[in-house]
């Protein structure tokens, strides 16, 4: 017999929980017999006390067992997915999924919606007319099995790790998101239940990420790679920089437009580099050799896959993307080199403009967001445009401008350029 109060007290006092206690509490939480306030208290105890490797593995297994697993083992091509821990302007899934499918893998990419300052892949794709995020398990399977498509980006069904859905919503409102074991088990329970055979994790590090320093990011990556490998999912993690936003846009339709530039062979160097590096890593994990993703971007086959992928989910790849009704520009106050561009501040500005939501379920504005005209390393003169803000609700401009005005550092000397990929965990 277990009870919630003694499990909370045990973790509060720094004890190791047994598998029985973990199974009991996650099962009770999923069924509603462990109350939200009890689970919140336990989550806070875990934030402070952590979970050891065995507890983490049992916690993750219990979250997986709270729902059903998907099975793609009958698909002829190897399955491989990518998961990012979340950042500002991180639209990489959009060009990456069709690119890796064009190289011969099947890409099941179950994604989420944005909350707070980080955008959600599904919100971005929903700015395409007709595109549907909610697919049945049969639809997901048949799109993946179709060798002319082979990539699907959609919402996780209600039965995929339901304990995580409930727990994530609680953590979001109780200050318990920032915990390495809770983040690792949350991400990996969904990825293992999803049934992919290979996984590449993009663990973001820096001002715009959950992990602000490389040591924490490495610890999170190591925990997730171990969970994946223990569950038979070949898992590699790249640690990548998230000090400045990725690319030149943050916002839903704006990020789709920028992804189309990458698929057309253009795009800002940082997103192109990260897309190609992640694609190469995914192919290695999937055991596909002799194909360079850079060639598939250049010869248009990744763009063909994108069109097939959008159409397979009801979207019209030729429909014009929504544009916000109003815009306002932000200009440089002095001459010099941009030394800093705070990703968090840009994410907050985009969110305040209407690109993100404050509460689960709220609608987002497709056209709202920020288009950058300059990034760290660029030289600017006073009065030059640094960014354009977009929204349908112009009363939001002042609040968003407050955030973005504070984002820039400008100085007389050029900053040292730092690499995008900082480290790798797993082989
Ligand atoms: N993404 C998740 O799915 N879970 C977390 O806990 C953090 C980021």
């Amino acid at each position: 017999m277990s009870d919630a109060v003694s499990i909370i007290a045990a973790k509060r006092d720094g004890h190791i929980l047994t598998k029985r206690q973990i199974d009991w509490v996650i099962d009770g939480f999923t069924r509603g017999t462990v109350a939200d306030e009890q689970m919140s208290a336990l989550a806070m105890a875990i934030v402070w006390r952590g979970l050891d490797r065995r507890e983490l593995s049992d916690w993750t297994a219990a979250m997986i067992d709270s729902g059903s697993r998907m099975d793609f083992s009958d698909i002829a091509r190897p399955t491989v997915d990518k998961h990012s821990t979340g950042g500002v302007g991180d639209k990489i899934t959009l060009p990456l999924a069709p690119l890796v499918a064009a190289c011969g893998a099947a890409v099941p990419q179950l994604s989420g919606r944005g909350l707070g300052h980080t955008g959600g892949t599904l919100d971005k794709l929903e700015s395409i007319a007709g595109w549907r995020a909610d697919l049945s398990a049969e639809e997901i399977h048949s799109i993946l099995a179709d060798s002319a498509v082979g990539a699907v980006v959609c919402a996780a069904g209600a039965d995929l790790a339901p304990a995580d859905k409930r727990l994530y919503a609680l953590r979001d409102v109780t200050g318990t998101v920032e915990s390495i074991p809770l983040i690792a088990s949350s991400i990996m329970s969904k990825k293992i239940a999803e049934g992919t055979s290979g996984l590449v994790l993009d663990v973001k590090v820096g001002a715009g990420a959950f992990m602000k320093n490389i040591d924490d990011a490495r610890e999170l990556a190591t925990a997730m790679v171990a969970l994946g490998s223990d569950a038979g999912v070949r898992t590699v993690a790249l640690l990548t920089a998230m000090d400045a936003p990725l690319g030149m846009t943050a916002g839903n339709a704006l990020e789709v437009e920028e992804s189309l530039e990458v698929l057309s062979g253009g795009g800002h160097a940082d997103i192109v580099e990260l897309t190609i590096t992640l694609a190469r890593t995914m192919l290695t994990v999937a055991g596909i050799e002799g194909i360079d993703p850079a060639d598939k971007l250049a010869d248009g086959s990744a763009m063909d896959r994108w069109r097939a992928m959008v159409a397979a989910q009801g979207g019209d790849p030729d429909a014009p993307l929504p544009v916000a009704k109003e815009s306002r520009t932000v200009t440089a106050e002095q001459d010099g080199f941009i030394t800093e561009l705070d990703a968090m501040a840009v994410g907050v500005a985009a969110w305040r403009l209407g690109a993100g939501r404050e509460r689960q379920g709220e609608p987002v504005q497709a056209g709202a967001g920020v288009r950058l005209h300059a990034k760290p390393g660029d030289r600017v003169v006073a009065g030059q445009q640094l960014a354009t803000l977009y929204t349908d609700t112009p009363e939001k401009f002042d609040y968003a401008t407050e955030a973005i005005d504070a984002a820039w550092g400008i100085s007389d000397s050029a900053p040292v350029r730092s690499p995008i990929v900082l480290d790798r965990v797993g082989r």
Side-chain angles (χ1 to χ4, degrees):
M1 263 304 279
S2 292
D3 72 276
V5 176
S6 48
I7 293 173
I8 297 163
K11 186 43 73 184
R12 178 198 65 200
D13 296 341
H15 298 294
I16 304 295
L17 302 180
T18 63
K19 174 166 167 41
R20 250 173 106 116
Q21 287 175 312
I22 290 172
D23 287 346
W24 185 88
V25 81
I26 301 257
D27 178 58
F29 178 60
T30 310
R31 289 187 299 108
T33 53
V34 169
D36 283 359
E37 55 272 26
Q38 292 175 315
M39 200 57 171
S40 307
L42 182 57
M44 188 56 90
I46 292 172
V47 168
W48 281 98
R49 296 294 193 172
L51 293 176
D52 76 7
R53 170 130 195 222
R54 202 227 77 239
E55 286 176 297
L56 177 58
S57 157
D58 289 342
W59 185 275
T60 309
M63 304 251 279
I64 296 168
D65 290 344
S66 70
S68 59
R69 287 183 185 228
M70 298 183 78
D71 181 8
F72 301 127
S73 56
D74 61 331
I75 291 178
R77 280 156 299 120
T79 48
V80 61
D81 186 8
K82 183 267 321 184
H83 182 85
S84 156
T85 55
V88 176
D90 186 358
K91 69 275 299 171
I92 299 290
T93 292
L94 276 54
L96 183 66
L99 172 59
V100 174
C103 295
V107 188
Q109 180 86 54
L110 303 195
S111 301
R113 292 178 196 284
L115 196 62
H117 77 282
T118 58
T121 300
L122 303 181
D123 295 326
K124 295 170 197 178
L125 283 163
E126 277 176 349
S127 56
I128 301 171
W131 188 88
R132 280 190 304 126
D134 292 312
L135 303 181
S136 66
E138 293 70 36
E139 284 176 305
I140 296 173
H141 201 280
S142 85
I143 297 172
L144 268 187
D146 181 344
S147 60
V149 190
V152 61
V153 182
C154 65
D159 202 31
L160 194 107
D164 176 64
K165 279 195 189 70
R166 292 198 56 201
L167 181 54
Y168 192 77
L170 264 193
R171 287 168 57 213
D172 198 48
V173 293
T174 55
T176 52
V177 170
E178 284 87 351
S179 149
I180 289 176
L182 290 179
I183 296 175
S185 54
S186 166
I187 292 174
M188 293 307 292
S189 59
K190 287 173 287 204
K191 291 292 140 179
I192 295 167
E194 173 195 281
T196 184
S197 48
L199 176 64
V200 174
L201 296 160
D202 179 2
V203 179
K204 300 288 184 201
V205 192
F210 285 126
M211 298 294 124
K212 307 290 179 208
N213 67 67
I214 187 107
D215 292 337
D216 286 349
R218 202 173 282 117
E219 190 182 330
L220 175 62
T222 305
M224 291 195 290
V225 168
L227 286 172
S229 307
D230 288 353
V233 179
R234 196 167 167 204
T235 309
V236 168
L238 300 183
L239 309 190
T240 72
M242 183 35 71
D243 290 308
L246 266 175
M248 302 302 279
T249 59
N252 300 309
L254 291 170
E255 293 192 44
V256 174
E257 183 192 308
E258 193 175 12
S259 302
L260 289 172
E261 283 171 29
V262 175
L263 288 162
S264 307
H268 191 267
D270 62 4
I271 5 175
V272 176
E273 181 187 337
L274 188 54
T275 304
I276 291 176
T277 307
L278 285 166
R280 286 183 181 143
T281 312
M282 287 169 79
L283 294 182
T284 312
V285 163
I288 296 174
E289 290 171 357
I291 294 180
D292 187 356
D295 296 339
K296 299 286 176 190
L297 273 182
D299 71 9
S301 35
M303 178 61 106
D304 293 343
R305 289 294 172 139
W306 160 267
R307 295 176 61 81
M309 180 181 106
V310 167
Q313 292 183 229
D316 175 358
D318 296 314
L321 290 165
V323 177
K325 294 192 187 103
E326 309 281 342
S327 65
R328 176 191 278 188
T329 54
V330 174
T331 53
E333 283 175 5
Q334 63 183 88
D335 297 356
F337 289 97
I338 298 179
T339 49
E340 211 185 306
L341 175 54
D342 179 357
M344 180 69 95
V346 175
V348 168
W351 171 52
R352 289 181 180 174
L353 289 163
R357 53 175 69 79
E358 246 167 279
R359 273 173 230 98
Q360 310 264 8
E362 279 179 355
V364 295
Q365 290 182 30
V370 177
R371 187 192 301 280
L372 300 166
H373 304 302
K375 293 253 297 204
D378 292 346
R379 193 169 166 61
V380 294
V381 292
Q384 183 175 329
Q385 288 189 1
L386 294 180
T388 306
L389 313 186
Y390 298 92
T391 185
D392 292 334
T393 38
E395 63 276 13
K396 297 190 168 170
F397 275 136
D398 287 346
Y399 194 33
T401 308
E402 238 173 68
I404 203 160
D405 272 350
W408 310 86
I410 300 184
S411 113
D412 289 340
S413 39
V416 180
R417 248 177 224 287
S418 51
I420 291 265
V421 179
L422 306 169
D423 202 355
R424 174 184 168 121
V425 175
R427 293 187 309 124

